[in-house]
Amino acid sequence: MLLVASSYVTWTYQTHTFSNSIETLLVAWSLVLIQRITTNKQRSSIFSSGLLGFLLVFGTFNRITFPAFLLIPGLRMVPHFLQKPLSLISTILFAVTGLFLAIYADTAFYSPGPAGPSAVFRHPIITPLNNLLYNSSFKNLAQHGIHPRYQHILANLPQLLGPAFPLLFLTPYLNLPLGSAVSGVVVLSFFRHQEARFLIPTVPLILSSIQLPRRYTRPWIAAWVIFNVIFGILMGVYHQGGVIPTQTFLAGREDATEALWWRCYSPPTWLLGGKNEKLNTRDFKGLEPSLMIEELRQVATCHKDMAARKINAHSQKGTKNGTYLIAPLSSTFLDQYTQPPAGHDLKPPLAFEKVWEYRNHLNLDDMDFAEDGIWQTLTRVVGRRGLAAWRVTKAC
């Protein structure tokens, strides 16, 4: 428990209401129920089995990766269900009830008009199915990033576990939590888009399934503390740290009607409050630069007098509509628009006016060591850290 509590994953990711954080708790609760059901030979565990069925549905609707972590542990339930079929019936009944409630909630939320319970049977909206179909398309995954299938094992797990990663192979406990972690890593490795946060549920499972090294214990503890302090600051403060401050800034811009976010996390639109009805937020994710500029050109507001706009650089008076591009400063592609060469007489098709900048922002998803090299990548991402908002106009 001390390893779990001292892990930076616990006091950064798990203190936020990410779907991955909720998934971690649901996996832990499900394993507790499986352990209780399979070890209690005196009772049929009807209620516990039903609760497990409900959690299975809830976890799947929270994240479609949830069943992957219960694949191996779930095998322990097979003999129990064969010996006590009432437990299986209870699991199915609770799961079907939870499934109906979940589909109804999503159908009512995403339907354009009012939707009653009968809508579940007429035109249901099943979000896990839609999610699975979307992620089954290589073209869709390419918008978020394609990774090799060994990304989780060779890169993401070491990033989450640090000095504890070698202990997974040297001093493991072969128990139910470790089986759940292995199950999740193996299944998720088949998908080509692999982010470290997808493996957050494995962290407490693995840390509770390893032993500290008997030799060099103090140096290992020192390395563990240093690793978690560094990554705690990096991931808890700097990584995508400018998204919320920038969204708060946009909420106060009277002329903001279009906000285009590029190469950063999706902004939480609920922070806009009532401004959300006026401001159209679009997430371009990792869209190709040329396509991003084309989209930006279509929604940029007109400004006939460029010189007058520069005089009133930070004024919102007289402007009812405004288009803003939010992107990391480390995106060198934008330099040709935001920092045009001196003596350049030709008027650019788009004019970028920086109105906001937040320096405590690192875009770690924009690292390309293969193309740029290690030193140039770190110089760009760290040296040019920050998230900026540009007001974009075009000559009409």
Side-chain angles (χ1 to χ4, degrees):
M1 291 300 295
L2 186 59
L3 286 179
V4 176
S6 59
S7 170
Y8 82 92
V9 175
T10 302
W11 37 276
T12 54
Y13 295 112
Q14 285 301 128
T15 55
H16 295 74
T17 53
F18 297 137
S19 61
N20 308 94
S21 306
I22 298 174
E23 182 183 32
T24 302
L25 298 177
L26 293 175
V27 169
W29 290 339
S30 298
L31 293 180
V32 170
L33 287 174
I34 291 176
Q35 182 72 16
R36 179 181 298 178
I37 293 170
T38 55
T39 56
N40 190 349
K41 304 298 183 180
Q42 302 294 329
R43 296 184 176 182
S44 59
S45 302
I46 294 178
F47 179 74
S48 297
S49 299
L51 186 57
L52 179 63
F54 184 83
L55 288 181
L56 180 61
V57 172
F58 181 41
T60 304
F61 272 76
N62 174 65
R63 286 191 65 82
I64 59 171
T65 56
F66 175 76
F69 296 97
L70 298 184
L71 189 60
I72 292 179
L75 295 177
R76 297 182 58 177
M77 294 292 296
V78 175
H80 176 80
F81 286 147
L82 292 176
Q83 295 177 3
K84 302 176 180 179
L86 287 179
S87 294
L88 176 60
I89 296 175
S90 175
T91 302
I92 295 175
L93 289 177
F94 272 76
V96 170
T97 303
L99 183 65
F100 177 83
L101 294 176
I103 295 177
Y104 172 63
D106 284 344
T107 303
F109 183 82
Y110 291 108
S111 294
S118 60
V120 174
F121 305 99
R122 289 185 286 107
H123 47 78
I125 297 178
I126 308 174
T127 51
L129 178 60
N130 295 337
N131 195 332
L132 182 61
L133 293 175
Y134 178 88
N135 285 281
S136 299
S137 170
F138 187 86
K139 181 180 179 181
N140 292 336
L141 292 181
Q143 299 180 28
H144 306 270
I146 299 298
H147 305 100
R149 287 193 169 88
Y150 54 79
Q151 176 83 11
H152 275 325
I153 298 176
L154 297 185
N156 294 339
L157 273 180
Q159 177 184 328
L160 295 173
L161 299 174
F165 179 70
L167 302 183
L168 174 61
F169 304 95
L170 299 176
T171 57
Y173 285 118
L174 300 180
N175 53 18
L176 187 65
L178 184 60
S180 175
V182 171
S183 174
V185 173
V186 170
V187 173
L188 296 185
S189 294
F190 283 98
F191 295 90
R192 295 301 302 274
H193 179 65
Q194 302 183 12
E195 298 181 29
R197 64 186 179 92
F198 296 169
L199 299 184
I200 289 178
T202 67
V203 174
L205 303 177
I206 293 175
L207 292 181
S208 60
S209 305
I210 59 175
Q211 307 176 55
L212 294 184
R214 296 182 179 180
R215 299 180 59 186
Y216 308 109
T217 303
R218 290 186 177 181
W220 186 91
I221 293 177
W224 174 255
V225 172
I226 294 172
F227 166 79
N228 285 286
V229 168
I230 292 175
F231 271 81
I233 295 174
L234 180 64
M235 305 304 294
V237 177
Y238 284 96
H239 180 53
Q240 301 291 342
V243 173
I244 290 179
T246 303
Q247 187 75 311
T248 304
F249 162 77
L250 289 174
R253 297 289 293 187
E254 296 179 2
D255 69 326
T257 53
E258 292 281 347
L260 285 66
W261 294 72
W262 185 53
R263 289 186 172 178
C264 56
Y265 278 6
S266 300
T269 54
W270 59 268
L271 284 174
L272 297 172
K275 181 74 174 179
N276 194 26
E277 299 179 358
K278 178 183 177 183
L279 177 58
N280 180 32
T281 301
R282 300 174 64 184
D283 182 13
F284 280 172
K285 302 181 179 68
L287 188 66
E288 286 293 327
S290 58
L291 297 178
M292 183 275 296
I293 290 296
E294 183 60 32
E295 291 286 339
L296 190 59
R297 185 181 289 111
Q298 294 180 12
V299 297
T301 54
C302 296
H303 203 294
K304 298 181 180 179
D305 190 352
M306 291 290 182
R309 182 182 60 79
K310 291 182 179 179
I311 294 175
N312 300 310
H314 299 283
S315 175
Q316 303 177 58
K317 296 180 180 179
T319 56
K320 297 181 179 180
N321 299 321
T323 299
Y324 289 82
L325 173 67
I326 298 90
L329 295 172
S330 59
S331 297
T332 55
F333 171 81
L334 294 175
D335 291 350
Q336 57 186 305
Y337 297 95
T338 61
Q339 303 173 19
H344 194 269
D345 296 331
L346 295 177
K347 292 184 179 180
L350 294 174
F352 288 68
E353 171 192 333
K354 186 192 292 183
V355 295
W356 167 260
E357 179 180 312
Y358 189 83
R359 292 288 293 173
N360 293 343
H361 177 95
L362 279 176
N363 187 26
L364 300 181
D365 299 317
D366 193 25
M367 290 185 167
D368 193 349
F369 295 114
E371 183 174 341
D372 298 335
I374 297 177
W375 179 250
Q376 290 186 356
T377 299
L378 293 177
T379 301
R380 177 176 59 83
V381 174
V382 178
R384 297 182 53 168
R385 65 186 179 277
L387 189 67
W390 290 272
R391 191 175 188 275
V392 184
T393 55
K394 60 183 177 183
C396 300

